[in-house]
Amino acid sequence: MYQFDYQAPDSLEAALAALRENDEAKIVAGGMTLLPTMKLRLARPEALIDINRIGSLAGVTEKNRAIVIGAMTRHADVAASKLVRDRIPGLADLAETIGDPQVRNRGTIGGSVANNDPAADYPAGLVGLGATVVTDRREIAADDFFTDMFETALEADEIITAVHFPIPKRAAYMKFPNPASRYAIVGVMVAETHDGIRVAVTGAAPCVFRVTAMEDALKKDFTPDAIAPIAVDGAEFNEDIHASAEYRAHLVNVMARRAVAAVG
Amino acid sequence: MDIQGEYHIAASPTEVWQRLIDPDVLSACIPGCESMTRASEDAYDCAVMAKYGPVKAKFKTTLTLSNINAPVSYTLSGRGQGGAAGFGEGVADVMLEETSDGTALRYTARFNAGGRIAQVGSRLIVATTRKFADKFFAAFSSGFDVAADDATA
Ligand SMILES: Cc1cc2nc3c(=O)[nH]c(=O)nc-3n(C[C@H](O)[C@H](O)[C@H](O)COP(=O)(O)OP(=O)(O)OC[C@H]3O[C@@H](n4cnc5c(N)ncnc54)[C@H](O)[C@@H]3O)c2cc1C
């Protein structure tokens, strides 16, 4: 191992202060992405600020017709939450499809959202449900939060504290997982929210995006058939040994139709 | 899996070519390039800071110019060694063609990785390569627009 400093403060203020003290410090949440990267020496932060002891950051509550999920809430706890299962079953389903039991028991919603991996599930969940990311200093609409591959609107010393999900009328998430990691080759969240219909796609492109043509079609006719003819342009889509860009473009339509059917 | 791109530059192929082989221009356009020194006639040693998501690491990279056919085409390749993580190599075939108002620069780029980088990162390679190549060629072409504007000012 190489030398680095480790701190585990028990308040948000102390974590923020430690983060400001060192430009080369990193927050560690579940560590499911950061620690493997450090093991490969693809990142060598000088200090790790562990936020696992900040109790106020974990847990699920209901507030003003929204489900509020603390940044340190594990994927397994979102999947098992009776409140989430009750109010936004599509979101509990999403959390349940992430990775394997180890990843779900360690990985957190805050870490996933901050990382903005192009194949992560939560970005589609947040954008599809019109969620808001809450940080130590402000609230950021999901539509403005995920800016590009691995890039977000977060400032270098900003900590996510929670995510607010307005309770939708109905919603469902469907994904075609990578057979090994379970990361989304393509994942689609379809929701009828109180502000309209949303279709958000992860895995296909470098960053989560909405398919407005599908949203418009579903507004008129909420059936899988209504969006069957709507193709997305896959020219800039991701490609790997599991799926070509063209295949991903095809999957967007298939997963969107399945999500619409699941929403009912 | 090749990535292609095209840029239009308001300068002659000969002018564009001069800059394509100029180490100062290359180092200014390579995202994260911190230093570059000549290693041999057509090769340079560079230190490149890669910052993608959780990754933040400095790579020693050898940049090589080959298949040189002035002022029409060449191959630009960069091979980086990432220690325990493995290695990565990016290759871009660049072609210039004279147009009525300047030069069309076309490139085809690909990236190969080996070792652990390839295992954990294969799903990200195409998107990362596209971003890297776009940044490089956009910086290269915009440098030109400025130069062209300066000349007419
Ligand atoms: C084998 C494997 C399979 C996986 N499969 C999937 C999958 O199918 N779907 C999926 O969506 N994900 C998947 N993941 C990712 C996983 O879900 C984690 O959520 C993700 O790795 C990041 O969460 P973490 O809590 O582990 O964050 P960490 O690794 O601790 O941190 C990640 C990054 O976020 C920053 N960060 C963490 N918390 C905060 C915060 N509160 N505020 C600001 N910045 C913060 C850290 O500084 C770091 O840069 C998988 C991971 C592995 C290892």
Side-chain angles (χ1 to χ4, degrees):
Chain A
M1 270 323 267
Y2 72 98
Q3 288 288 321
F4 60 86
D5 187 37
Y6 172 85
Q7 302 176 44
D10 53 15
S11 76
L12 185 61
E13 292 67 33
L16 283 165
L19 200 51
R20 273 185 210 124
E21 216 164 82
N22 187 341
D23 282 351
E24 298 291 321
K26 272 285 206 191
I27 294 281
V28 61
M32 290 292 99
T33 293
L34 188 55
L35 298 189
T37 314
M38 288 173 67
K39 282 186 187 164
L40 288 172
R41 301 292 184 268
L42 290 173
R44 288 167 174 258
E46 285 173 12
L48 284 189
I49 300 156
D50 184 338
I51 56 174
N52 283 269
R53 289 196 195 154
I54 309 175
S56 61
L57 293 182
V60 180
T61 52
E62 183 171 354
K63 211 167 84 187
N64 302 333
R65 279 193 268 156
I67 294 297
V68 181
I69 303 182
M72 283 305 295
T73 314
R74 319 281 167 185
H75 309 324
D77 295 330
V78 174
S81 159
K82 208 183 155 303
L83 199 52
V84 179
R85 178 63 59 198
D86 224 47
R87 302 290 194 269
I88 321 180
L91 187 60
D93 292 342
L94 177 150
E96 200 157 30
T97 69
I98 296 175
D100 48 55
Q102 188 185 340
V103 167
R104 288 196 293 278
N105 281 314
R106 289 300 304 165
T108 65
I109 187 169
S112 173
V113 166
N115 199 44
N116 192 17
D117 188 295
D121 296 295
Y122 271 123
L126 268 70
V127 173
L129 292 163
T132 303
V133 178
V134 185
T135 76
D136 60 88
R137 63 200 68 168
R138 58 185 170 145
E139 301 195 345
I140 309 164
D143 283 335
D144 304 323
F145 182 84
F146 302 102
T147 51
D148 197 353
M149 180 167 80
F150 289 123
E151 285 174 24
T152 68
L154 284 180
E155 288 167 28
D157 64 346
E158 194 166 9
I159 298 180
I160 299 173
T161 55
V163 183
H164 276 242
F165 292 94
I167 296 169
K169 292 182 188 156
R170 44 188 185 159
Y173 181 67
M174 283 290 154
K175 91 165 165 181
F176 192 85
N178 175 302
S181 71
R182 318 311 285 178
Y183 268 112
I185 288 178
V186 167
V188 181
M189 173 65 88
V190 173
E192 186 183 349
T193 74
H194 291 278
D195 294 324
I197 286 165
R198 286 173 164 259
V199 177
V201 179
T202 191
C207 189
V208 60
F209 65 94
R210 285 170 66 183
V211 188
T212 45
M214 287 187 182
E215 295 175 355
D216 293 342
L218 290 171
K219 216 171 288 167
K220 288 177 208 124
D221 176 17
F222 200 90
T223 63
D225 286 347
I227 55 170
I230 299 174
V232 292
D233 177 10
E236 305 262 289
F237 276 10
N238 303 329
E239 279 192 59
D240 61 12
I241 53 165
H242 298 287
S244 65
E246 204 184 343
Y247 186 54
R248 278 185 162 81
H250 172 74
L251 283 178
V252 170
N253 191 283
V254 176
M255 291 303 120
R257 275 187 282 148
R258 284 188 193 169
V260 172
V263 167
Chain B
M1 283 167 265
D2 288 355
I3 284 138
Q4 281 156 358
E6 182 167 340
Y7 286 87
H8 291 273
I9 301 171
S12 72
T14 317
E15 288 170 293
V16 176
W17 180 262
Q18 279 313 317
R19 289 174 66 91
L20 269 181
I21 57 170
D22 181 340
D24 292 337
V25 174
L26 295 177
S27 72
C29 296
I30 294 170
C33 183
E34 293 183 344
S35 70
M36 186 151 140
T37 52
R38 187 167 232 135
S40 67
E41 173 74 21
D42 292 315
Y44 301 89
D45 290 328
C46 322
V48 178
M49 177 63 92
K51 272 190 79 174
Y52 291 100
V55 172
K56 185 179 178 193
K58 199 181 281 188
F59 293 97
K60 282 196 162 77
T61 309
T62 312
L63 188 73
T64 312
L65 281 52
S66 58
N67 301 328
I68 294 175
N69 174 21
V72 180
S73 62
Y74 76 169
T75 302
L76 194 60
S77 42
R79 189 184 167 92
Q81 202 61 48
F87 71 93
E89 183 177 38
V91 179
D93 295 315
V94 185
M95 246 189 69
L96 304 180
E97 194 183 318
E98 186 159 15
T99 61
S100 57
D101 53 359
T103 303
L105 180 157
R106 294 191 187 88
Y107 70 84
T108 305
R110 67 200 95 62
F111 190 89
N112 293 308
R116 291 278 290 146
I117 283 183
Q119 272 178 351
V120 298
S122 68
R123 66 194 176 82
L124 303 169
I125 283 176
V126 169
T128 311
T129 307
R130 182 176 289 129
K131 202 166 163 179
F132 191 91
D134 270 351
K135 273 192 183 163
F136 175 83
F137 288 105
F140 180 81
S141 319
S142 70
F144 250 101
D145 288 340
V146 173
D149 287 346
D150 283 351
T152 55

